[in-house]
Amino acid sequence: MDACEDMLRRDEMMKQTMTAVTSSATACETYKLVADYETYPWSFPDGTFDLVISSMAFHWVNDLPKLLMEIKRVLKPDGCLLFALPGGNTLPELRSSLVLAELERTGGVSTHLGPYIDVSNVGSLLTGTGFKLPTIDVDEISIGYPNMMVLMEHLNRMGEGNACKARKERVGLGTFFGAAAVYRELYPDEEEGIVASAQVIYGIAWKEHQNQPKPLERGSADVKITDIAVTQTNNSGGD
């Protein structure tokens, strides 16, 4: 499911070519639906899916808790949600370079990159919407680019532009050139020119089911932390 039909059907030509080359049968049939993520309820009955996968889409959603509630509705009991999304520490170099250049030339700042969720909030979002056994992992990626303009062109071709409603309609060329100079000065890359960092948050969680593992009741432990002895060994050979 995707809100953009071109993105949804992007790989159909490649799939047709590969099917013509290989004679193996399709392992899993798929159905593609063009729909807005935030148009609720979705056209699926309760408990339809065993698994819901989202790849780099959650950061485009205005009301993420409501979306998670809808995903939980269409999952079967013990159904799994698996997702990846950009984290709050994505493109800090580009963000700070634009801020410094705009401050110097206009005396103020505006939003140039979309808001990203902080990794510390992902777990609470999942548990707050009723998901169980959440597990979160983070990957930090660094990519080299010749300059800031190539980086921004890459982001534009990925469809990762600034979607904030309060953004400026236009940023002057002086600000862009100034930001490019600041970027190259503060965040150089010896091989490529500049470095761009991305934080990818991976998460998995389940819809509640009676057979899922559950924590013991509070106060039911029979061992106290104070009873646990920590032994330190000294390998220095001294007295």
Side-chain angles (χ1 to χ4, degrees), residues 35 49 63 92 100 103 131 143 222 233 236:
F49 302 107
D63 192 342
L100 290 172
L103 272 173
F131 281 94
I143 306 172
D222 54 5
T233 59
S236 62

Side-chain angles (χ1 to χ4, degrees), residues 1 8 29-33 44:
M1 183 173 73
L8 187 68
E29 293 291 340
T30 59
Y31 173 76
K32 298 182 178 181
L33 175 65
F44 305 109

Side-chain angles (χ1 to χ4, degrees), residues 98 101 105 148-149 170-181:
L98 287 168
R105 283 158 176 77
M148 192 190 82
M149 301 306 179
R170 184 179 182 277
V171 178
L173 286 176
T175 299
F176 274 120
F177 287 130

Side-chain angles (χ1 to χ4, degrees), residues 4 18 21 26 28 31 38 61 79 95 101 110 127 136 139 165-166:
C4 176
M18 293 183 66
V21 174
T26 302
C28 180
Y31 173 76
E38 298 185 89
V61 176
R95 191 188 306 270
S110 59
T127 56
I136 311 298
D139 196 7
K165 295 185 67 174

Side-chain angles (χ1 to χ4, degrees), residues 74-173:
V74 300
L75 278 172
K76 296 178 181 179
D78 205 30
C80 179
L81 167 63
L82 187 66
F83 63 89
L85 75 159
N89 198 33
T90 295
L91 300 174
E93 305 91 351
L94 179 60
R95 191 188 306 270
S96 59
S97 297
L98 287 168
V99 166
L100 290 172
E102 194 169 25
L103 272 173
E104 181 184 4
R105 283 158 176 77
T106 67
V109 295
S110 59
T111 57
H112 297 288
L113 299 175
Y116 299 118
I117 185 172
D118 192 82
V119 64
S120 62
N121 296 325
V122 177
S124 59
L125 274 171
L126 292 170
T127 56
T129 50
F131 281 94
K132 304 299 180 181
L133 308 174
T135 302
I136 311 298
D137 197 8
V138 180
D139 196 7
E140 304 283 349
I141 303 172
S142 295
I143 306 172
Y145 285 91
N147 53 60
M148 192 190 82
M149 301 306 179
V150 176
L151 167 60
M152 297 190 70
E153 181 185 8
H154 191 176
L155 293 172
N156 184 58
R157 290 177 180 271
M158 291 168 60
E160 295 293 340
N162 183 8
C164 296
K165 295 185 67 174
R167 69 184 185 275
K168 285 185 176 180
E169 293 185 2
R170 184 179 182 277
V171 178
L173 286 176

